[in-house]
Amino acid sequence: MPGPSNTLLIEGSFEELADELSHYIDEVKRKQGDNNTAVQTEITPLLEKNQKDDVLKKLVTGSAVLNSAPEKEIIAAYNLLVHLIRQSSNPNMFLPRICQNLSNPITSSPTNGTGLALSVLTTIFNILPQDNDVRYHVFLAILRVIRSSGSFELLRPQLKNLDTWITQWETDEEDQRKLYLSIAEVAEEASGEEEQSYLYLLRALRTIPSEEAASAEARQLSARALKSALSYPTHFDFQDLTSLDSIQALRKSDPILFELLDIFNAQVLDDYNDFKDEHDDFLSSQSLSDDTLTRKMRLLTLASLAASTQSRSLPYQHISRALQIPSEDTEIWVIDTIRAGLVEGKLSQLNQTFLVHRSTYRVFGEKQWTEVQGRLDTWRASLEGVLGVVRAEREKMVRERERELREVEGRVNGAQGMGMGAGRGRREIDVGGLMD
């Protein structure tokens, strides 16, 4: 896979190496039963005239046969061809054809063909300057090879470099969209990579300009992304879709599909069931699984129920009725909703209630603002009550302290008065004694 830039070193002059490669191509052709055209014969006069690009045209045209060369010789043969192409005044003219060849199956090595093709493509990618836009075409070829093998793990480490590469290549929106879609398709073919597929499909949608939001391509991609989001079992937040102009354009072009999006974005299980009754065959016509959607809708319904309750305590009976499930299955569905990250809370088997600690608002509009205002009013009233109790206790404490201080002052004043009276009596006695 792509890595740091490197150098391809092969000894020999252009003429010698071109003659050697043409001879090898002819040999492979003969082994395949093709004796019609000899590349070596065609390039000999061109080499004498030093017409390198014309020589390379012949070699590149004949290089498709290298995919049927012996397994141990394929990489060396392609590396030699790449080395010769680099000596052209316009190597970018030839490399896309080589990438196309390598995107096709390596017929001589069904088992190791993917690794052989990736090895050569990686070499081409790494010897090109970082800002060379031919790297874009090489990377697309790498994606095609990986897709054919279903080996998404080979691609994953390189995705962190994607934004940097796009900037270096100065890729326009159309080419970015093509690249994102290619990655989405690679992920879609791999097992367990539905989330990656959806994320890159979403990135492709974001490259569509607003003025093209209602185009045929935008409609096709939007419907594909929407159905992917609906089908992906752990995708519950649809705000990433509803914010896109191309998705909003489905309101006119595909009103039934948009209605389904609206249900999963903000409504509950009853609404989904009404939708199915009204549009009986719609889900099957769109290759959507009712079992998958019903399960997701139940989880979302419980999330909405938890977010809208004022008391933060949900009786099992309310949950089972809203989710249309047997009462004995209530705890299982609550646990599944907690695992999905939509709510947090504590189950009480004794009280048959679910105490909500945290819930997720699926949308945040006028209704949700009203609910928040109601809760804030409740909290305000509760806090005012607490504040009133605290204020009353404080005033009571102040009064008690004042009373205690008055009592202490009274006792102190009384004691001081008694002391002064005793002193005056003694002075009178003393005076009387002097008079005697």
Side-chain angles (χ1 to χ4, degrees):
M1 289 299 295
S5 298
N6 56 31
T7 303
L8 188 63
L9 298 176
I10 298 177
E11 295 183 357
S13 67
F14 180 88
E15 291 75 12
E16 293 171 342
L17 296 175
D19 184 70
E20 178 183 341
L21 181 58
S22 64
H23 176 73
Y24 181 78
I25 291 174
D26 289 341
E27 284 294 318
V28 176
K29 282 186 173 182
R30 278 192 286 271
K31 291 179 180 179
Q32 300 297 322
D34 183 0
N35 298 311
N36 295 328
T37 305
V39 178
Q40 188 175 31
T41 302
E42 291 181 337
I43 71 168
T44 298
L46 299 175
L47 288 172
E48 293 173 355
K49 297 176 183 179
N50 197 30
Q51 296 176 343
K52 289 186 178 180
D53 283 353
D54 291 332
V55 170
L56 288 171
K57 288 178 183 178
K58 299 293 184 181
L59 292 174
V60 170
T61 301
S63 65
V65 76
L66 295 179
N67 285 27
S68 60
E71 178 180 326
K72 295 181 179 180
E73 300 173 1
I74 290 176
I75 292 179
Y78 267 114
N79 283 347
L80 176 54
L81 179 57
V82 171
H83 173 72
L84 292 172
I85 290 173
R86 293 182 69 198
Q87 299 182 50
S88 167
S89 58
N90 185 17
N92 294 353
M93 177 173 59
F94 303 107
L95 289 174
R97 178 64 179 272
I98 303 303
C99 293
Q100 181 180 347
N101 290 346
L102 290 166
S103 300
N104 296 326
I106 305 292
T107 57
S108 60
S109 181
T111 302
N112 300 317
T114 297
L116 295 172
L118 289 178
S119 177
V120 178
L121 288 168
T122 299
T123 297
I124 297 173
F125 188 94
N126 291 335
I127 63 176
L128 290 170
Q130 292 183 348
D131 59 352
N132 191 321
D133 58 5
V134 174
R135 273 188 158 201
Y136 169 84
H137 299 285
V138 179
F139 191 66
L140 285 178
I142 290 174
L143 292 176
R144 288 193 292 269
V145 173
I146 292 178
R147 181 185 179 186
S148 67
S149 66
S151 305
F152 187 81
E153 288 301 320
L154 296 174
L155 175 63
R156 191 188 303 279
Q158 306 305 324
L159 294 178
K160 65 180 183 295
N161 302 314
L162 190 62
D163 292 338
T164 301
W165 290 340
I166 288 174
T167 301
Q168 291 172 342
W169 304 335
E170 299 180 352
T171 311
D172 61 24
E173 290 181 336
E174 185 176 351
D175 283 340
Q176 287 181 41
R177 184 156 59 252
K178 183 178 180 180
L179 183 59
Y180 293 144
L181 287 174
S182 296
I183 296 174
E185 289 166 358
V186 172
E188 187 177 10
E189 295 291 332
S191 176
E193 298 296 342
E194 295 89 351
E195 182 178 8
Q196 288 294 320
S197 177
Y198 172 73
L199 290 177
Y200 280 96
L201 189 56
L202 196 62
R203 293 188 71 172
L205 268 182
R206 289 172 179 156
T207 65
I208 298 177
S210 298
E211 58 272 17
E212 299 177 13
S215 66
E217 180 186 15
R219 177 186 177 187
Q220 184 268 331
L221 287 180
S222 297
R224 177 180 168 188
L226 173 50
K227 288 188 282 188
S228 176
L230 291 171
S231 300
Y232 184 41
T234 60
H235 186 85
F236 299 101
D237 184 3
F238 296 89
Q239 296 296 307
D240 52 0
L241 286 174
T242 57
S243 63
L244 298 176
D245 292 336
S246 59
I247 292 292
Q248 289 298 324
L250 294 177
R251 191 189 298 270
K252 292 183 177 180
S253 62
D254 298 81
I256 300 177
L257 186 60
F258 190 86
E259 180 184 354
L260 186 61
L261 169 62
D262 187 56
I263 291 172
F264 276 82
N265 186 47
Q267 299 182 44
V268 294
L269 184 61
D270 285 339
D271 301 300
Y272 174 65
N273 288 333
D274 291 342
F275 173 88
K276 289 191 296 181
D277 292 339
E278 185 177 354
H279 308 288
D280 189 28
D281 298 325
F282 181 76
L283 295 183
S284 59
S285 69
Q286 299 295 316
S287 300
L288 293 170
S289 167
D290 179 41
D291 290 342
T292 300
L293 298 189
T294 299
R295 173 179 172 76
K296 179 180 286 192
M297 199 69 242
R298 283 195 170 110
L299 299 179
L300 290 171
T301 298
L302 180 52
S304 294
L305 194 63
S308 62
T309 181
Q310 293 289 333
S311 66
R312 313 303 289 172
S313 180
L314 280 175
Y316 284 8
Q317 184 180 4
H318 292 178
I319 296 174
S320 62
R321 184 167 58 247
L323 272 59
Q324 300 175 20
I325 55 173
S327 57
E328 59 268 22
D329 293 340
T330 300
E331 291 185 351
I332 296 175
W333 281 98
V334 172
I335 292 171
D336 285 347
T337 309
I338 292 173
R339 287 174 176 168
L342 296 173
V343 296
E344 291 178 5
K346 183 178 180 181
L347 290 164
S348 173
Q349 292 182 332
L350 179 63
N351 299 322
Q352 292 288 286
T353 59
F354 174 52
L355 181 61
V356 181
H357 295 165
R358 181 192 66 82
S359 57
T360 302
Y361 278 107
R362 294 161 60 193
V363 293
F364 210 89
E366 183 177 351
K367 179 181 178 181
Q368 287 69 39
W369 279 116
T370 302
E371 291 177 359
V372 169
Q373 182 179 1
R375 290 184 182 179
L376 289 175
D377 290 342
T378 301
W379 292 340
R380 179 179 178 180
S382 177
L383 289 174
E384 287 177 347
V386 172
L387 184 60
V389 172
V390 171
R391 187 181 293 114
E393 288 297 319
R394 181 180 178 183
E395 291 173 353
K396 179 181 179 181
M397 183 181 68
V398 170
R399 289 195 299 270
E400 288 291 329
R401 287 178 61 84
E402 290 176 348
R403 183 180 61 78
E404 291 175 358
L405 285 173
R406 286 196 297 269
E407 291 179 354
V408 170
E409 288 177 356
R411 288 195 295 270
V412 170
N413 290 336
Q416 288 178 347
M418 292 176 63
M420 291 176 63
R424 284 195 299 270
R426 286 192 296 270
R427 285 195 294 272
E428 290 174 355
I429 293 171
D430 292 340
V431 171
L434 291 173
M435 289 176 68
D436 290 342

